[in-house]
Amino acid sequence: MAEPREEYYHPGAADAERAAAASADKKETDEGAYTVDSASDFSANEKRDLQKGLSQRHLSMIALAGSIGTGLFLSLGGSIATGGPLGSLLAYFFIGLIVCAVQFALGEVTALIPVTGSFVRHAEVFADPALGFALGWNIVYGNWLSVPSEIIAICVLIQFWRSDLNSAIWIMVFIVITAAVAFSKIRYFGEIEFGFAILKIILIVGLIIFGLITACGGVHGVERVGFRYWKNPGPFVPYIADGAWGRFLGFWAVLINAIFSFSGAESVAMAAAETRNPRQAIPKAVKRVFARITIFYVLSVLIVGMLVRSDDPRLQGSSDTAATSPFVLAAEAAGIKAIPSIINAVVITSAWSSGNQALLSGSRVLYGLAVKRHAPRVLLRTTSWGVPYVSVATFIAFSFLAFMTMSENAITVFYWFMNLVGCGVLISWSAILFNHLRLHAALRKQGISPTRLPWHNTWTPYASAVGLFFTILLLLTNGFAVFTKGNWSASGFITSYLDIGLVAAAFTIWKLIKRTKWVRLEDIPLEGILREIERNPEEPDYQAKGVIRLISWLWD
């Protein structure tokens, strides 16, 4: 097992002169860490202790697997019931545009500084170390609870087949296999998630084709409906209020649902330091991921809006299993019995995949916090094959919280804790966009052309500004329903807003204790980072050949 060493260690006798120069460049700050002047200084720990086992195809499919989950397969019917077919379509398309801004902003900043922990570490460079501390621990806490919650979801999904085995057995089985994947080489994790993503894509494409054929009357015995349900009950559904205002609130409520459906796309850069040629791979991945996720979601919403009526009472039921999926309802009408089990099986792999990704993202953020001494240094210990095993072990330990399902009172407490980070995805998106805007502000302040960035798009600063406005607006209004007459709910308020207070409190406490300072634009070491990138270009990326090239459009 590799022991944690000094953060800016440069190994090798031949590098002694470089190490001495790097040491001379270190400047002590009020926080007790160092400011640095080159790209290698930001990632010295990762270069020494972690392994680059992920390629661009892994990144693309990991982000797809993380973003296409139970929300797409099971919960779209609920969105149709809330906002109507057209209201839901517009909402998902609008959130897709925000995801585009987030993905491109993340890609530009990560291509410049590809470090473990991604935008959490970027916040320390471009804003304030206290912001990185607050964001990092918020993500760690959320993922500590996400891993057991996904295992709980798997147990619920298995009950679709009326399993006689005790839930405790299934919990233990999935804890063991989750641990096995987490402690294995990062390359194996990438291949497993790659396989899960392929399964999801095959199912989504199949369901879209099936839904289109069914809606157009291509299934024997099923009446052609086309866009009939857009006319009656109508394209929009009033929510809480009546008239135009009620229809708008229905659209806005679906926006909130869509955000959590798209969550996970930001995981594409969490393991940047474990990615081969990250300055090429991550930009390619974020471009592909945005397009594919948006197309799949928009097409799925369009088809579901054709398949089921927005006032169908079955859409108001629980979406814990495949039983109330709108695709299953259409399959039952067509007399096709196999589809419910197929959907449920793939959703189980989706839940396990989401748990794996929560563990990967959380453990790498925890490792990144330890690098900056925002967490105990023991968390930097890695295996000989490059896995931060102490960080991973903390997440495996928290996965045993899934056994709280054995007690009705305990599971209530567990979900109360889960609610504390209900709006975490909006906070993360806001941080990504803010980091990007700070990067471009620093470029202007220092007179550096954006064209020197490893990846640059002329329109992204404007997209980030607009995207940040809407993410903050959605963050402040995501719990609007609890403020309307007769709809007050303490748990709803906590889910929607308490996480904002937790992040603000963590930021304030760390800033007061460590007396951190807001990073001035002129002090962000862009010139040193860019010079090192120019001196050490990455090797040309591998291009698929032969048969693989015919299907590589999925990820390339």
Side-chain angles (χ1 to χ4, degrees):
M1 303 297 180
E3 299 289 332
R5 285 168 274 179
E6 284 302 312
E7 182 176 348
Y8 303 114
Y9 169 76
H10 298 279
D15 294 329
E17 183 177 347
R18 180 185 172 199
S23 178
D25 284 339
K26 297 174 186 176
K27 297 182 280 293
E28 191 76 27
T29 68
D30 292 333
E31 189 188 356
Y34 293 100
T35 58
V36 291
D37 297 313
S38 71
S40 63
D41 289 332
F42 284 112
S43 57
N45 275 79
E46 291 97 322
K47 289 181 178 179
R48 183 188 65 239
D49 296 331
L50 305 181
Q51 292 186 1
K52 293 183 178 293
L54 297 177
S55 64
Q56 186 256 315
R57 70 179 177 90
H58 292 134
L59 292 184
S60 294
M61 301 306 260
I62 284 172
L64 272 175
S67 301
I68 299 174
T70 56
L72 179 61
F73 297 116
L74 305 183
S75 303
L76 284 186
S79 295
I80 298 294
T82 301
L86 181 55
S88 298
L89 185 66
L90 293 174
Y92 274 85
F93 182 73
F94 183 76
I95 295 300
L97 294 178
I98 294 179
V99 170
C100 174
V102 171
Q103 287 287 91
F104 276 71
L106 181 63
E108 287 191 13
V109 181
T110 305
L112 179 68
I113 308 178
V115 290
T116 299
S118 184
F119 60 90
V120 173
R121 299 272 298 280
H122 298 156
E124 300 168 2
V125 178
F126 295 107
D128 191 311
L131 181 59
F133 172 85
L135 290 171
W137 278 107
N138 187 61
I139 291 172
V140 168
Y141 169 77
N143 285 325
W144 269 341
L145 297 176
S146 291
V147 177
S149 73
E150 296 296 346
I151 293 174
I152 292 170
I154 291 171
C155 293
V156 174
L157 289 163
I158 288 174
Q159 295 307 313
F160 175 77
W161 293 301
R162 305 292 192 271
S163 172
D164 293 329
L165 287 178
N166 190 291
S167 294
I169 297 175
W170 290 114
I171 290 172
M172 199 65 230
V173 166
F174 279 95
I175 287 177
V176 170
I177 59 177
T178 297
V181 172
F183 285 115
S184 64
K185 290 184 177 181
I186 188 69
R187 178 168 60 87
Y188 298 148
F189 172 87
E191 296 297 349
I192 290 170
E193 291 301 305
F194 183 85
F196 284 153
I198 292 291
L199 279 177
K200 291 180 183 181
I201 290 173
I202 292 173
L203 179 61
I204 292 167
V205 172
L207 290 176
I208 289 173
I209 294 173
F210 161 75
L212 185 61
I213 292 173
T214 301
C216 293
V219 177
H220 179 70
V222 178
E223 183 183 7
R224 177 184 177 275
V225 292
F227 287 93
R228 179 186 305 171
Y229 299 144
W230 285 52
K231 297 179 180 178
N232 181 29
F236 292 94
V237 172
Y239 180 69
I240 296 177
D242 296 322
W245 178 240
R247 291 191 289 272
F248 173 78
L249 291 181
F251 160 76
W252 201 260
V254 176
L255 284 181
I256 308 302
N257 295 337
I259 288 167
F260 296 104
S261 296
F262 280 100
S263 66
E266 66 276 5
S267 65
V268 68
M270 282 301 187
E274 297 169 84
T275 302
R276 294 191 294 271
N277 296 332
R279 294 190 170 93
Q280 299 175 64
I282 290 175
K284 285 184 179 179
V286 300
K287 286 190 291 185
R288 273 63 170 183
V289 167
F290 152 70
R292 284 154 180 73
I293 291 175
T294 304
I295 288 172
F296 284 141
Y297 269 103
V298 169
L299 284 178
S300 297
V301 173
L302 177 64
I303 296 300
V304 169
M306 297 167 66
L307 290 176
V308 294
R309 296 172 59 95
S310 59
D311 58 357
D312 190 321
R314 293 173 296 179
L315 299 181
Q316 304 293 342
S318 170
S319 59
D320 290 336
T321 69
T324 57
S325 167
F327 293 109
V328 169
L329 299 180
E332 290 176 346
I336 302 174
K337 298 180 179 180
I339 284 185
S341 290
I342 293 173
I343 293 177
N344 205 64
V346 175
V347 171
I348 286 174
T349 68
S350 297
W352 186 42
S353 170
S354 297
N356 288 339
Q357 289 198 42
L359 198 154
L360 177 76
S361 296
S363 62
R364 272 40 177 191
V365 169
L366 191 56
Y367 176 91
L369 289 169
V371 167
K372 298 303 294 181
R373 298 173 187 168
H374 292 169
R377 301 284 285 177
V378 68
L379 295 165
L380 292 177
R381 294 177 182 269
T382 58
T383 64
S384 58
W385 55 90
V387 174
Y389 68 91
V390 179
S391 295
V392 169
T394 65
F395 281 83
I396 298 300
F398 271 88
S399 66
F400 284 89
L401 290 175
F403 284 103
M404 294 176 75
T405 54
M406 301 295 100
S407 165
E408 185 175 341
N409 292 331
I411 195 62
T412 300
V413 174
F414 175 80
Y415 281 116
W416 188 83
F417 281 124
M418 276 294 295
N419 288 341
L420 298 182
V421 287
C423 59
V425 61
L426 282 168
I427 293 175
S428 295
W429 288 4
S430 298
I432 291 168
L433 296 167
F434 181 69
N435 290 339
H436 184 246
L437 291 172
R438 288 282 294 176
L439 165 62
H440 279 271
L443 289 171
R444 291 192 298 271
K445 184 73 173 181
Q446 298 178 28
I448 299 174
S449 172
T451 57
R452 291 182 61 190
L453 294 173
W455 188 48
H456 167 60
N457 301 274
T458 56
W459 55 270
T460 51
Y462 307 103
S464 290
V466 175
L468 182 60
F469 170 79
F470 279 107
T471 53
I472 293 176
L473 180 62
L474 288 164
L475 182 64
L476 296 176
T477 61
N478 81 95
F480 74 90
V482 301
F483 299 110
T484 58
K485 186 177 181 180
N487 291 306
W488 169 255
S489 165
S491 61
F493 177 82
I494 290 172
T495 301
S496 302
Y497 296 110
L498 187 58
D499 198 27
I500 301 174
L502 292 176
V503 172
F507 173 82
T508 303
I509 291 170
W510 192 256
K511 192 166 185 65
L512 292 175
I513 292 175
K514 295 295 183 177
R515 299 184 181 277
T516 64
K517 294 182 179 179
W518 194 262
V519 179
R520 298 186 302 172
L521 294 175
E522 56 267 31
D523 292 337
I524 298 173
L526 294 178
E527 187 62 44
I529 296 171
L530 290 169
R531 285 180 179 176
E532 179 161 335
I533 293 171
E534 292 163 358
R535 287 196 302 266
N536 301 285
E538 293 179 345
E539 298 177 359
D541 203 12
Y542 168 78
Q543 298 295 321
K545 298 179 181 179
V547 178
I548 299 298
R549 189 172 185 178
L550 297 177
I551 61 171
S552 64
W553 62 270
L554 286 170
W555 59 82
D556 197 4

